[in-house]
């Protein structure tokens, strides 16, 4: 009784262990999760890269944007004050200014768009999936939602937000503190100098924040990769089930092969009565030979068998009046070198022809 309880207990423990997701995901599981849109991706990398690209673009194209913006505003006072206010003129003016504004923001827009595409492609490659857009009522489960609020992932996201605010606050403080002398002199400077000073401080502050958030984003990507690999882990039983689905259940495949062998055996046995002669060992091998000069270039093997199969072939031959000839070396050679439906090899044709001639001679005498 005690041993049965131990086996039962250990059996349950083994089942529980088999259900633990301790194995790395298979390529098939990874492909399935990818189709569902589940990939290792950090939104922080995308956000930080876009922010950094935007400020770098403002630094490189700052003069272009400034000159274009000045021309856009001065055009109103130089060329448009004497213009007649009509519906056609207003539409034309709005169209021209719309095109000028698009040209003005084009460098910034193109830079941000290219960086966003490149960063996303570097993380997950080319991926189009509408799985996340599907309506799932399981997402409305309040119990599951409550658990997600207090999950480890929520704690990590909260800590990440606090860390981001801390980094941004520190960089803003240090940047403004370093520019405190310039800030104190702004009241006594010209508007143009104030504008240049403010733009310079803002741009370099944006660069610092972008770099700081990008460094944080790299660590976030490492965590997202770890969390993704953890979530798609499989148990040993999951891997076995997947293998069965891909390759088929070994038991079912074995039954199919067994049935195929039986069907092939039945077809072979149906051909035995058509044979001209059965060449035997006499007990270990049996090979059924047929020759039709009008349709065959050489004698063919209709059936062959060893031990029990050889006995069955001889029994069927006896019931159907097919002659049996004992020739040990020839029977062994035919069994080993030919398959069902094959023609007799050239080097064995003479020996088989002699057997067939003898059989035909006996049949002629009998008739």
């Amino acid at each position: 009784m005690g041993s049965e309880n131990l086996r039962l207990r250990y059996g349950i423990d083994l089942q529980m262990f088999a259900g633990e997701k301790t194995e790395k995901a298979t390529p098939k599981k990874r492909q399935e999760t990818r189709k569902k849109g589940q990939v290792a991706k950090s939104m922080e990398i995308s956000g930080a890269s876009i922010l950094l690209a935007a400020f770098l673009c403002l630094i490189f194209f700052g003069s272009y944007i400034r000159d274009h913006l000045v021309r856009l505003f001065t055009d109103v006072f130089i060329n448009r004050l004497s213009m007649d206010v009509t519906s056609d003129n207003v539409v034309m003016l709005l169209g021209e200014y719309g095109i000028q504004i698009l040209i003005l923001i084009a460098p910034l827009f193109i830079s941000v768009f290219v960086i966003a595409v490149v960063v996303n492609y570097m993380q997950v490659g080319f991926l189009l999936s509408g799985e996340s857009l599907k309506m799932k009522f399981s997402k409305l489960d309040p119990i599951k939602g409550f658990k997600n609020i207090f999950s480890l992932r929520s704690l990590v996201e909260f800590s990440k937000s606090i860390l981001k605010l801390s980094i941004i606050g520190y960089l803003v403080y240090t940047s403004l503190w370093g520019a405190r002398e310039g800030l104190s002199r702004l009241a006594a400077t010209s508007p143009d100098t104030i504008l240049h000073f403010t733009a310079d401080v803002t741009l370099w502050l944006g660069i610092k924040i972008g770099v700081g958030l990008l460094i944080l984003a790299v660590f976030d990507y490492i965590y997202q990769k770890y969390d993704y690999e953890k979530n798609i882990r499989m148990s040993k039983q999951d891997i076995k089930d997947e293998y069965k689905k891909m390759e088929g259940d070994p038991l079912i495949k074995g039954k199919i092969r067994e049935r195929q062998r039986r069907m092939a055996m039945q077809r072979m046995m149906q051909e035995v009565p058509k044979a001209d002669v059965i060449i035997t060992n006499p007990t270990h091998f049996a090979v059924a030979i047929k020759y039709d000069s009008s349709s065959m270039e050489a004698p063919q093997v209709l059936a062959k068998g060893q031990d029990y199969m050889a006995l069955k072939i001889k029994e069927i031959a006896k019931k159907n009046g097919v002659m049996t000839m004992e020739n040990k070396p020839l029977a062994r050679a035919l069994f080993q070198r030919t398959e069902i439906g094959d023609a007799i090899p050239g080097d064995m044709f003479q020996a088989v022809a002699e057997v067939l001639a003898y059989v035909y001679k006996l049949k002629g005498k009998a008739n």
Side-chain angles (χ1 to χ4, degrees):
M1 186 67 179
S3 61
E4 291 181 0
N5 291 334
L6 286 173
R7 284 198 297 269
L8 180 60
R9 187 183 69 184
Y10 287 128
I12 294 174
D13 291 343
L14 288 174
Q15 289 179 0
M16 293 176 62
F17 180 75
E20 291 183 357
K21 298 184 181 298
T22 57
E23 306 300 316
K24 289 185 177 180
T26 60
K28 184 175 183 296
K29 177 67 177 292
R30 294 178 183 276
Q31 186 177 7
E32 290 176 351
T33 55
R34 182 178 175 82
K35 287 181 180 179
K36 295 178 181 179
Q38 299 175 9
V39 290
K41 179 182 177 182
S42 172
M43 298 301 296
E44 303 300 328
I45 288 184
S46 300
S49 300
I50 291 173
L51 179 65
L52 187 59
F55 279 100
L56 287 174
C57 180
L58 290 175
I59 290 177
F60 287 113
F61 294 96
S63 299
Y64 165 81
I65 295 174
R66 180 197 59 198
D67 295 341
H68 205 85
L69 193 61
V70 169
R71 285 199 303 269
L72 191 64
F73 276 96
T74 55
D75 179 72
V76 176
F77 299 99
I78 296 175
N79 302 318
R80 308 297 180 180
L81 291 179
S82 61
M83 184 182 69
D84 296 331
V85 180
T86 63
S87 59
D88 292 338
N89 287 340
V90 170
V91 171
M92 180 189 67
L93 182 64
L94 290 177
E96 290 181 2
Y97 282 173
I99 293 173
Q100 293 300 319
I101 292 172
L102 289 176
I103 295 174
L104 175 68
I105 65 174
L108 180 63
F109 178 78
I110 293 173
S111 300
V112 169
F113 178 78
V114 171
I115 290 297
V117 171
V118 170
V119 169
N120 278 276
Y121 183 82
M122 290 175 63
Q123 290 190 82
V124 300
F126 182 77
L127 176 63
L128 291 176
S129 176
E131 189 70 23
S132 59
L133 302 177
K134 293 182 179 179
M135 180 65 180
K136 295 181 179 179
F137 292 100
S138 59
K139 295 181 179 180
L140 303 178
D141 186 357
I143 298 176
K144 187 176 181 180
F146 185 78
K147 290 180 179 179
N148 290 336
I149 293 175
F150 296 97
S151 63
L152 177 61
R153 187 174 185 85
S154 298
L155 179 62
V156 171
E157 293 297 327
F158 177 75
S159 303
K160 188 169 61 178
S161 299
I162 296 297
L163 187 58
K164 283 196 297 184
L165 290 175
S166 301
I167 291 174
I168 294 173
Y170 173 77
L171 292 174
V172 171
Y173 172 77
T174 53
S175 297
L176 294 179
W177 183 257
R180 63 185 184 278
E181 294 183 2
L183 288 171
S184 63
R185 292 195 298 267
L186 287 181
T189 57
S190 64
D192 185 62
T193 304
I194 294 174
L195 181 62
H196 279 83
F197 177 82
T198 305
D200 185 62
V201 172
T202 303
L203 288 175
W204 286 109
L205 177 59
I207 295 295
K208 292 177 182 178
I209 292 175
V211 172
L213 293 181
L214 187 61
I215 294 173
L216 175 63
V218 172
F219 290 100
D220 179 64
Y221 177 76
I222 295 173
Y223 168 76
Q224 297 295 340
K225 186 76 173 176
Y226 162 77
D227 189 60
Y228 170 76
E229 293 292 338
K230 180 181 177 181
N231 290 332
I232 65 172
R233 282 178 186 171
M234 303 173 68
S235 64
K236 289 182 170 61
Q237 186 61 41
D238 292 335
I239 296 176
K240 290 180 181 178
D241 293 341
E242 181 183 289
Y243 176 78
K244 287 181 180 179
K245 290 180 181 179
M246 293 176 60
E247 303 295 333
D249 193 330
L251 295 177
I252 296 176
K253 291 178 69 176
K255 291 180 180 179
I256 292 173
R257 285 195 294 266
E258 180 63 26
R259 187 171 182 180
Q260 290 174 343
R261 283 194 295 267
R262 289 181 181 178
M263 292 176 65
M265 192 182 303
Q266 290 176 357
R267 288 194 299 268
M268 183 182 71
M269 292 304 181
Q270 292 172 359
E271 294 295 320
V272 173
K274 302 176 184 179
D276 292 325
V277 64
I278 308 297
I279 303 175
T280 66
N281 195 25
T283 55
H284 295 293
F285 301 103
V287 181
I289 303 295
K290 180 177 177 60
Y291 178 62
D292 185 354
S293 59
S294 63
S295 60
M296 300 178 184
E297 295 181 358
Q300 289 185 352
V301 176
L302 296 185
K304 70 173 189 175
Q306 184 178 6
D307 297 331
Y308 174 76
M309 287 299 302
L311 182 61
K312 294 293 292 182
I313 290 173
K314 288 188 288 185
E315 288 179 358
I316 295 174
K318 185 176 181 181
K319 290 179 181 178
N320 292 273
V322 179
M323 189 172 295
T324 301
M325 294 289 297
E326 180 181 335
N327 190 324
K328 295 181 180 179
L330 182 58
R332 179 181 292 274
L334 287 171
F335 183 85
Q336 293 177 348
R337 295 179 57 187
T338 61
E339 297 295 334
I340 298 171
D342 288 354
I344 300 301
D347 59 335
M348 301 173 65
F349 186 80
Q350 180 64 34
V352 174
E354 292 177 358
V355 172
L356 288 173
Y358 180 73
V359 170
Y360 294 151
K361 183 177 179 181
L362 292 178
K363 286 183 177 180
K365 288 182 179 181
N367 293 335

